[in-house]
Amino acid sequence: MMIDIVSPGTYTYGSLVLGGVLRDRGHDIKITSKLQSRGGTVLLSLFSTLQLLDPEIRQFVAARQNVYVGGPVGLCPEMVLGELDARAVVTGEGEDIIADLVESGPHGLPGVAFRQKGRIEKSPPRPIKSLDHVLPFIPDDLCRQNIRGANVYIETHRGCLGSCSFCQVPRFFGRSIRSRSIENIVAEVREMKRRGISRVAISGGTGSLFGYRNKVNREAFVQMLRSLSLILGKRNLSVPDMRVDLVDETVLQAVRDYTIGWVFFGLESGSDAMLKAMRKGVTVEDNRKAIELARSLGVKVGGSFIVGYPGESREDFEETMRFAEEAMLDDIFVSIAEPIPGTPLASQILQMPSEELPLYQEHRGEYKALKLTEAEARCFELMLHGDSCKPVPRATSNEQYDAYLCEAKGQGRDIKRVMTLLQKYREFLL
Ligand code: SF4
């Protein structure tokens, strides 16, 4: 069967894995990051809610009969099927059902949703039995992809122990940890290297949960990094995302010795009240200690922050600014709180009057002339502040100033578009 896997803009890891499963089943597979197909069945891999509103993606789906959609958007299949004229949506992990789905259709399969006689039929997803999988399908141009410095993000495990209110990971993959075997990961990375992929990053919410069995399995984590580093070289391997309460000396030394030597902590806020509201499960003090530990071991520390969270006061935000100043992070990344479908944050925001959300409040402070909302202004201000709080502070150039402003405005605009979409499917998201 001729099957095109379309992963618009970026090759998602899931699209490569499903390509491998279908290739080994004997199908004629082509995978592309462009909106094009050869006329057969199409698997469309989406990674963001906004893609549902992309006119080109909508047109692409509308012009074809046999399009199946997958990705985290599957957490709200009513929204996907309401926006895209797709044959079915995969609502959970796709590896075990994808071949049956494309060969025989969605009827009777777990973890799919589809329209039938004007109604949406859906069945609960079933977690896959083993995460070890066949070699992924590797497109020739994957080696030219650049996602935050890596050609590709691979998965070593799924699930997260955390229950952060804004995050899809525990909702999509669950809160128990399932890991691949090191042999399976090594075989994949060897094949990637052979195909010209030089830089690999490890995704999966929190890297140090690899091999987790009732406690952090440091030996497994270290062995996995050491094995991959031997193949790729430490300059080409990164394991950026870490929870501050799941690192210790051994974990951080492995990051230093076998990867590019950076961690990216999800710090989110400098206010304990906000960390609690986000159900982060850690305190500002925990964040501080993890940063100090990493730095003392020679690991560079980046941190991500969320601003404009429901209930975030100006004082909370000032605490975040002070925290960033004290922490002197090597890099910071700022996001406006985004209601990702399927998360507690999305249902919370949908139940609040919009005037109570910083996303819709007019900013009347220092940046009033820039006509920003309060959430955009905080995003902009913290990005600017990040430059002056680095270990070696840098003056923000005019170009960088404009880029930060553009980024803050763009985030605000995009999240408002997502909010409008979510309002339309409110009944399925509460
Ligand atoms: S620790 Fe990270 S991956 Fe886990 S729930 Fe929180 S944000 Fe998501």
Side-chain angles (χ1 to χ4, degrees):
M1 195 170 170
M2 187 165 71
I3 302 169
D4 290 314
I5 303 182
V6 178
S7 189
T10 300
Y11 291 114
T12 61
Y13 181 69
S15 68
L16 309 181
V17 173
L18 293 189
V21 170
L22 292 169
R23 173 204 58 211
D24 285 15
R25 181 95 161 199
H27 294 293
D28 169 14
I29 302 298
K30 185 166 188 288
I31 182 161
T32 172
S33 58
K34 299 187 177 65
L35 283 172
Q36 53 188 220
S37 74
R38 297 170 294 175
T41 295
V42 172
L43 300 186
L44 180 65
S45 174
L46 300 182
F47 58 86
S48 107
T49 318
L50 265 183
Q51 288 179 302
L52 295 175
L53 297 172
D54 183 325
E56 290 179 13
I57 291 179
R58 293 164 77 99
Q59 211 178 348
F60 175 81
V61 178
R64 286 158 181 84
Q65 298 289 318
N66 265 356
V67 179
Y68 298 93
V69 179
V73 286
L75 277 175
C76 186
E78 294 83 0
M79 186 170 71
V80 180
L81 290 169
E83 295 303 307
L84 299 180
D85 196 9
R87 179 142 185 234
V89 183
V90 177
T91 61
E93 297 170 325
E95 290 94 324
D96 282 356
I97 59 159
I98 196 66
D100 291 338
L101 179 64
V102 294
E103 289 163 10
S104 316
H107 296 268
L109 287 178
V112 288
F114 56 100
R115 283 195 180 282
Q116 178 153 279
K117 295 182 186 151
R119 286 167 47 94
I120 291 181
E121 301 286 335
K122 58 178 184 178
S123 50
R126 202 184 290 155
I128 59 171
K129 294 178 203 91
S130 164
L131 281 195
D132 278 359
H133 51 66
V134 300
L135 287 175
F137 191 97
I138 300 172
D140 290 339
D141 57 350
L142 188 62
C143 56
R144 292 196 290 279
Q145 178 162 276
N146 186 343
I147 314 171
R148 289 181 286 157
N151 298 133
V152 64
Y153 272 65
I154 65 163
E155 270 178 358
T156 57
H157 63 282
R158 286 182 184 168
C160 183
L161 304 176
S163 48
C164 307
S165 60
F166 51 85
C167 177
Q168 260 178 339
V169 170
R171 281 93 210 173
F172 197 80
F173 291 126
R175 294 191 66 217
S176 60
I177 310 303
R178 294 163 292 149
S179 300
R180 297 170 64 193
S181 67
I182 292 184
E183 296 73 29
N184 191 249
I185 301 167
V186 163
E188 172 176 287
V189 170
R190 275 216 180 95
E191 178 62 10
M192 286 183 168
K193 169 100 177 171
R194 194 185 71 77
R195 296 290 307 278
I197 284 101
S198 54
R199 283 166 291 125
V200 171
I202 294 169
S203 65
T206 282
S208 58
L209 281 175
F210 172 72
Y212 182 92
R213 283 207 197 105
N214 301 321
K215 63 182 175 77
V216 171
N217 188 341
R218 296 178 191 82
E219 297 72 30
F221 178 73
V222 173
Q223 195 193 335
M224 183 264 293
L225 287 192
R226 192 190 299 124
S227 307
L228 299 190
S229 194
L230 277 171
I231 301 167
L232 296 162
K234 64 177 274 183
R235 285 175 191 280
N236 296 314
L237 178 66
S238 60
V239 55
D241 301 322
M242 294 280 181
R243 263 185 80 91
V244 297
D245 56 349
L246 292 172
V247 294
D248 61 12
E249 284 199 17
T250 310
V251 164
L252 290 167
Q253 278 164 349
V255 169
R256 179 194 64 199
D257 295 342
Y258 302 121
T259 77
I260 58 170
W262 275 78
V263 281
F264 230 88
F265 289 135
L267 303 170
E268 326 304 3
S269 177
S271 151
D272 275 321
M274 282 298 102
L275 290 178
K276 197 167 174 201
M278 294 175 191
R279 304 185 199 170
K280 191 70 200 177
V282 297
T283 62
V284 174
E285 190 52 27
D286 295 328
N287 284 344
R288 202 169 274 132
K289 282 184 181 152
I291 294 166
E292 278 167 17
L293 180 64
R295 191 161 287 138
S296 72
L297 294 166
V299 174
K300 295 247 189 203
V301 186
S304 55
F305 293 91
I306 294 175
V307 295
Y309 196 86
E312 185 190 57
S313 64
R314 186 70 206 177
E315 290 69 36
D316 292 314
F317 177 66
E318 298 288 347
E319 286 186 50
T320 300
M321 294 278 280
R322 276 197 295 280
F323 178 82
E325 196 168 329
E326 285 161 22
M328 288 202 297
L329 298 162
D330 294 289
D331 201 4
I332 73 165
F333 184 77
V334 189
S335 316
I336 296 175
E338 180 185 346
I340 299 176
T343 62
L345 176 61
S347 58
Q348 181 189 355
I349 287 185
L350 283 171
Q351 294 176 76
M352 289 176 70
S354 57
E355 59 274 17
E356 285 182 18
L357 295 168
L359 183 66
Y360 293 98
Q361 291 162 353
E362 185 187 339
H363 173 67
R364 297 202 177 94
E366 191 181 343
Y367 301 101
K368 189 175 187 324
L370 298 174
K371 297 195 183 323
L372 302 171
T373 66
E374 190 52 37
E376 290 163 2
R378 291 178 193 176
C379 181
F380 176 59
E381 202 173 346
L382 187 52
M383 285 192 281
L384 277 181
H385 194 54
D387 275 354
S388 57
C389 299
K390 291 205 165 117
V392 181
R394 71 170 192 211
T396 307
S397 64
N398 287 345
E399 290 75 28
Q400 197 59 60
Y401 183 96
D402 291 345
Y404 290 154
L405 186 57
C406 184
E407 169 69 24
K409 282 184 172 173
Q411 283 197 29
R413 185 189 56 234
D414 287 349
I415 296 173
K416 279 190 213 142
R417 291 179 68 210
V418 167
M419 279 295 295
T420 307
L421 178 65
L422 266 50
Q423 291 287 4
K424 197 169 152 190
Y425 297 95
R426 195 172 185 276
E427 64 184 292
F428 304 108
L429 292 161
L430 292 180

